[in-house]
């Protein structure tokens, strides 16, 4: 694989790839929808960026990230970057593309003290797995054991606050666990998506281990 085979493109600034700004790589999540547009309108001024990874002309990976003020998560911290999502399609496994996407963030955010995100353990979705993030260098620094109110009700899972410090003086982030129970609305393909049709505020419930 040559360097010419791989390109990382910032779709936040590329009109040619604008369709990828409004969703992930899952076909059903490509179309624009109101809550995604509202999120981007608020997040882009706060430093939100989204990259796609193109391999031999095929878009196979993506990552989106922002300051805590522009993040879709209730994660806070000093001089940190929060990653909304980072993933690579199965057909492109084995090329360290996840690491390549993370390296691009490190290049574009050189002053970041560290990077934070959410990792899932025991969840039925293949995305944002704790073990996948650990392979990129992240560590779990806190967790919340939950169950879903509408899907796989009898399959509890754990949400981890994942942390990757980049400086020796980096202060670990914090998160609002109560807010996390509401899940997210910025992407319909996200494992913790809260659909508009579900009216209660919280779609997860905390349970004991």
């Amino acid at each position: 694989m040559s360097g010419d085979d791989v390109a990382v493109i910032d779709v936040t600034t590329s009109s040619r790839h604008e369709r990828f700004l409004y969703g992930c790589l899952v076909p059903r999540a490509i179309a624009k929808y109101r809550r995604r547009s509202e999120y981007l309108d608020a997040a882009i001024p706060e430093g939100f960026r989204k990259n796609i990874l193109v391999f031999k002309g095929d878009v196979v990976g993506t990552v989106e990230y922002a300051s805590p003020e522009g993040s879709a998560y209730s994660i806070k911290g000093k001089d940190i970057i929060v990653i909304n999502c980072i993933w690579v399609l199965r057909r492109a496994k084995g090329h360290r593309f996840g690491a390549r996407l993370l390296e691009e963030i490190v290049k574009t955010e050189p002053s970041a003290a560290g990077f934070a995100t959410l990792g899932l353990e025991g969840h039925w979705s293949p995305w944002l797995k704790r073990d996948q993030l650990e392979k990129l260098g992240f560590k779990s620094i806190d967790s919340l054991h939950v169950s879903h109110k509408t899907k796989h009700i009898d399959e509890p899972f754990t949400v981890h606050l994942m942390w990757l410090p980049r400086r020796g003086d980096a202060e670990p982030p914090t998160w609002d666990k109560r807010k996390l129970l509401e899940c997210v609305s910025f992407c319909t393909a996200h494992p913790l998506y809260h659909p508009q049709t579900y009216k209660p505020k919280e779609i997860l419930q905390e349970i004991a281990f």
Side-chain angles (χ1 to χ4, degrees), residues 68-136:
E69 293 76 18
S71 168
Y73 299 147
S74 57
I75 298 176
K76 303 299 180 185
K78 181 181 178 181
D79 298 329
I80 70 168
I81 293 296
V82 181
I83 297 174
N84 285 347
C85 64
I86 178 169
W87 54 280
V88 176
L89 295 177
R90 291 187 186 94
R91 64 175 181 269
K93 288 178 62 177
H95 298 291
R96 300 189 69 252
F97 286 155
R100 175 68 181 270
L101 287 166
L102 184 59
E103 289 167 4
E104 195 68 23
I105 304 177
V106 173
K107 290 179 184 178
T108 58
E109 303 291 339
S111 62
F115 305 100
T117 189
L118 299 181
L120 304 178
E121 184 177 16
H123 192 280
W124 50 91
S125 169
W127 311 119
L128 295 178
K129 292 292 192 181
R130 173 187 176 178
D131 60 346
Q132 294 170 346
L133 292 164
E134 288 176 337
K135 291 177 181 177
L136 297 178

Side-chain angles (χ1 to χ4, degrees), residues 8 19 21 23 68 95 100 104 106 117 153 181 193 198 200 207:
V8 177
R19 68 188 185 280
L21 182 59
H95 298 291
R100 175 68 181 270
E104 195 68 23
V106 173
T117 189
I153 297 173
L181 298 178
Y193 176 64
Y198 185 75
I207 59 176

